[in-house]
């Protein structure tokens, strides 16, 4: 793999814009390592929180990070048969470590100053290296100029429990959104950098979008889950972002 060429060819420029972030806060605090225990999309008895956020332009990988890319950067062996599938069973901690390793390999400035206490990990958005998207960046990019819950018919755009045979699928097998991004909905949930609600949930981090194992209602631009940063499961991966083209031209 020519790493620099691969990254240049597969990063998409997301234009600046605005995104309304809405969250439904359950007054009852639920702590669980199994996000599948919760019913997605339920608003009953929850408080609504809304914020219109300005989004600066940024770069985002066309697909979730694949086994091939993850293997190349980390040195972990990858079976050729699964090289084009999203990497899964990767924790939030491992995802940000990957971002720093990738930045190092391409001679870019690392975005993360790591801390063994994960909520004290610092991100510097002025650096030219790689990072996880923020919660609002992810949602804005997922919509791809559309206003609805999905950027197209679910059968055409996403792998979910009714069409995936309940197993992971190769990337780019469904239609991309208007920004040229594949698998934003379904196939794998994707880690974001953000803490979910530090006052109530401590170090829990956000992941987005639904997966091959998810019900239809869990697969959408505003679908959000949370878990502790060491959490790993077979339908949770990530994709990488970058603040600018610096270092890629």
């Amino acid at each position: 793999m020519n790493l620099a060429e691969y990254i240049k060819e597969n990063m998409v420029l997301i234009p600046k814009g605005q995104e309304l972030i809405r969250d439904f806060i359950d007054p009852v605090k639920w702590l669980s390592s199994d996000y599948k225990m919760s019913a997605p999309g339920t608003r009953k008895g929850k408080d609504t929180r809304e914020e219109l956020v300005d989004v600066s332009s940024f770069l985002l990988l066309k697909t979730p990070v694949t086994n091939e890319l993850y293997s190349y950067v980390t040195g972990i062996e990858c079976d050729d048969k699964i090289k084009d599938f999203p990497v899964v069973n990767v924790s939030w901690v491992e995802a940000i470590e990957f971002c720093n390793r990738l930045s190092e390999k391409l001679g870019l400035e690392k975005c993360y100053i790591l801390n063994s206490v994960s909520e004290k990990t610092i991100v510097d958005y002025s650096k030219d290296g790689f990072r996880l998207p923020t919660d609002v960046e992810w949602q804005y990019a997922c919509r791809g100029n559309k206003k609805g819950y999905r950027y197209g018919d679910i059968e055409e755009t996403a792998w979910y429990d009714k069409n995936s045979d309940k197993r992971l699928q190769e990337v780019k097998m469904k239609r991309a959104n208007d920004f040229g991004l594949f698998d934003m909905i379904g196939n794998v949930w994707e880690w974001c950098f953000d803490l979910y609600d530090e006052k109530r949930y401590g170090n829990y981090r956000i992941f987005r979008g639904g997966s091959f194992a998810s019900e239809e209602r869990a697969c959408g631009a505003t679908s959000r889950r949370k878990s502790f940063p060491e959490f790993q499961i077979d339908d949770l991966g990530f994709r990488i972002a970058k603040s600018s083209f610096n270092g890629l031209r």
Side-chain angles (χ1 to χ4, degrees):
M1 173 187 283
N2 183 320
L3 186 58
E5 286 300 318
Y6 178 91
I7 294 297
K8 279 193 285 188
E9 290 173 6
N10 285 282
M11 295 295 279
V12 173
L13 179 64
I14 309 300
K16 68 179 181 180
Q18 289 186 318
E19 183 65 23
L20 179 66
I21 291 291
R22 181 183 291 117
D23 200 9
F24 301 99
I25 308 301
D26 194 335
V28 179
K29 179 179 172 182
W30 293 92
L31 286 175
S32 173
S33 62
D34 186 358
Y35 68 86
K36 293 175 183 175
M37 290 174 64
S38 62
T42 321
R43 303 181 187 180
K44 187 176 180 181
K46 294 182 179 179
D47 301 322
T48 303
R49 180 174 63 194
E50 292 186 347
E51 183 182 5
L52 185 64
V53 182
D54 291 324
V55 182
S56 300
S57 63
F58 66 102
L59 301 172
L60 194 62
L61 198 67
K62 288 180 182 178
T63 70
V65 170
T66 61
N67 285 302
E68 181 181 33
L69 178 58
Y70 194 80
S71 171
Y72 190 87
V73 172
T74 63
I76 297 171
E77 287 191 16
C78 164
D79 188 327
D80 231 30
K81 294 177 182 177
I82 62 168
K83 67 183 181 69
D84 294 322
F85 288 73
V87 67
V88 292
N89 289 307
V90 174
S91 69
W92 179 90
V93 173
E94 290 169 329
I96 63 168
E97 287 174 346
F98 172 91
C99 290
N100 273 0
R101 284 189 182 187
L102 177 57
S103 299
E104 280 186 315
K105 276 188 172 290
L106 292 178
L108 303 174
E109 299 170 309
K110 293 185 285 189
C111 289
Y112 294 117
I113 300 172
L114 306 181
N115 193 299
S116 57
V117 179
S118 64
E119 58 268 40
K120 293 184 179 179
T121 288
I122 296 170
V123 58
D124 185 344
Y125 293 102
S126 72
K127 301 300 185 185
D128 61 8
F130 298 92
R131 57 181 177 80
L132 294 180
T134 66
D135 185 46
V136 66
E137 284 176 338
W138 190 97
Q139 181 172 304
Y140 175 72
C142 180
R143 288 198 195 276
N145 286 325
K146 304 293 184 185
K147 295 299 182 185
Y149 188 52
R150 301 187 184 98
Y151 49 83
D153 180 84
I154 191 168
E155 297 296 337
E156 296 177 359
T157 57
W159 295 109
Y160 69 112
D161 66 349
K162 291 293 195 298
N163 67 4
S164 67
D165 198 26
K166 296 190 178 179
R167 60 185 178 85
L168 194 62
Q169 303 290 331
E170 287 187 23
V171 298
K172 295 187 178 180
M173 300 298 288
K174 293 290 186 177
R175 181 168 65 81
N177 71 6
D178 286 356
F179 288 156
L181 302 169
F182 297 86
D183 299 289
M184 289 295 289
I185 295 171
N187 212 6
V188 290
W189 292 91
E190 298 180 9
W191 285 113
C192 295
F193 178 74
D194 306 56
L195 289 161
Y196 177 74
D197 184 341
E198 190 172 7
K199 288 182 180 178
R200 300 178 71 231
Y201 287 90
N203 65 354
Y204 270 40
R205 299 283 172 167
I206 292 169
F207 48 93
R208 290 293 214 125
S211 78
F212 68 84
S214 299
E215 298 176 5
E216 180 176 351
R217 62 178 176 165
C219 296
T222 58
S223 183
R224 179 190 286 107
R225 290 289 169 270
K226 62 187 178 298
S227 195
F228 54 93
E230 294 80 20
F231 179 59
Q232 301 173 335
I233 200 166
D234 63 358
D235 65 342
L236 174 57
F238 69 104
R239 77 177 69 210
I240 52 173
K242 193 177 186 298
S243 294
S244 73
F245 273 111
N246 289 350
L248 293 184
R249 296 188 184 281

